Amino acid sequence: MLARRIIPCLDCDLAVPQGRVVKGVEFKQIRYAGVPWELATRYYEEGADEIVFLDITASSDRRETMFNVIRATARNVFVPLAVGGGIKSVEDVRSVFKAGADKVTVNTAALKRPEIISEIAEEYGSQACVVAIDAKRRDDPAEDRITVPTQQGASWFEASFYGGREFTGVDAIAWAMKAEALGAGEILLTSMDRDGTYDGFDILLTDAVSKRVRIPVIASGGCGNADHILEVFQKTGASAALAASIFHYGEASVGEVKSHLAERGVHVRI
């Protein structure tokens, strides 16, 4: 049985020369968390299985700052590093890998030009291409949507891009299935409704996607404690859980979370 992974996420604001890690609530209300490579090193030493960097202010003039962040991190961190934000081409992917990353996450570029998924997979292998999906729950289901039952009836999930600032009309569950068919090796699935709320993962969303794809699904959005991670592993097929706030602000360490899971029968790497 494959071990379930614990993945800290570093949302990086690159408006300052060294970059800074921040965290929001429902993609808003941003607050400071720390220096990217310092946090990444701490999480690696605590036992993180992977680390995700997301450039939330991606633009061409800030890309070199992100490269510097990845280079500084890769000197001391020896678990897979995934990088997303502003990646629009295979050339961008090549530059990120040269800086020391192992995977890339694509969201906006993939929604606007889905063939980039196949291009990355053909050049570097499916394991290098993570498709990030930021999903918002909608309560107006139509016949052409994949719906999940709720206490209020049924809901579907709409995919967004540009850091959650714009919505696409695309069914997030159907998009995950298409991304797999195009060559994605993994889905990073974020509930926009739960992001930063400490209310727990969106179990319905995570379960709906993990049941429909064969590739690993990373649950993201809403983690407030170790029991939330336990719940998402017990109730869905998620392969990994991503968290930010509980690690950044000292509610729990990666090691404490893993010990909590192992004591309750979840297979994790200690």
Side-chain angles (χ1 to χ4, degrees):
M1 181 175 61
L2 292 176
R4 303 290 184 103
R5 291 169 292 149
I6 304 301
I7 305 177
C9 180
L10 308 182
D11 292 337
C12 295
D13 176 0
L14 305 179
V16 298
Q18 69 174 5
R20 58 187 174 187
V21 177
V22 297
K23 191 67 191 81
V25 178
E26 297 179 31
F27 285 46
K28 303 172 185 176
Q29 303 175 37
I30 303 299
R31 59 176 174 152
Y32 175 73
V35 176
W37 55 83
E38 292 178 356
L39 289 177
T41 300
R42 187 177 95 202
Y43 300 148
Y44 163 65
E45 291 172 348
E46 291 175 356
D49 296 295
E50 299 181 20
I51 294 173
V52 171
F53 289 89
L54 298 179
D55 177 359
I56 64 170
T57 55
S59 65
S60 59
D61 59 326
R62 291 172 178 161
R63 187 163 290 128
E64 187 57 39
T65 300
M66 177 57 90
F67 294 164
N68 291 338
V69 167
I70 299 306
R71 291 187 192 104
T73 301
R75 295 188 190 107
N76 300 304
V77 174
F78 304 101
V79 293
L81 303 178
V83 177
I87 293 172
K88 302 180 178 67
S89 66
V90 172
E91 289 71 28
D92 291 339
V93 175
R94 186 175 299 115
S95 297
V96 169
F97 286 166
K98 284 183 178 179
D102 303 281
K103 303 178 181 181
V104 293
T105 73
V106 287
N107 182 347
T108 301
L111 281 162
K112 298 185 78 166
R113 196 174 69 85
E115 54 266 33
I116 192 175
I117 299 172
S118 300
E119 293 167 2
I120 296 170
E122 289 168 7
E123 184 75 17
Y124 295 104
S126 290
Q127 81 290 337
C129 182
V130 181
V131 171
I133 301 175
D134 297 331
K136 182 78 173 177
R137 188 180 293 219
R138 303 299 189 194
D139 295 321
D140 56 342
E143 291 183 1
D144 60 342
R145 309 295 188 188
I146 297 176
T147 59
V148 296
T150 67
Q151 292 181 343
Q152 291 73 36
S155 298
W156 67 285
F157 295 88
E158 183 177 6
S160 70
F161 54 21
Y162 292 118
R165 292 187 293 274
E166 294 185 27
F167 289 92
T168 62
V170 173
D171 185 312
I173 299 173
W175 171 231
M177 297 164 66
K178 182 177 179 179
E180 178 185 30
L182 288 168
E186 202 161 13
I187 301 294
L188 171 52
L189 181 65
T190 300
S191 165
M192 294 184 65
D193 303 285
R194 298 296 182 95
D195 177 68
T197 64
Y198 288 76
D199 290 337
F201 296 97
D202 191 318
I203 300 299
L204 290 178
L205 170 64
T206 308
D207 184 56
V209 173
S210 59
K211 281 180 176 176
R212 288 173 170 83
V213 300
R214 296 180 300 276
I215 57 177
V217 173
I218 304 170
S220 171
C223 181
N225 55 54
D227 281 329
H228 289 154
I229 297 177
L230 178 65
E231 179 187 36
V232 81
F233 286 155
Q234 289 178 333
K235 295 184 178 180
T236 80
S239 299
L242 180 146
S245 298
I246 66 167
F247 298 140
H248 297 342
Y249 304 116
E251 281 91 350
S253 70
V254 175
E256 289 168 347
V257 167
K258 285 192 165 187
S259 294
H260 184 83
L261 296 173
E263 290 167 1
R264 287 155 182 80
V266 177
H267 181 39
V268 291
R269 295 183 187 91
I270 299 295

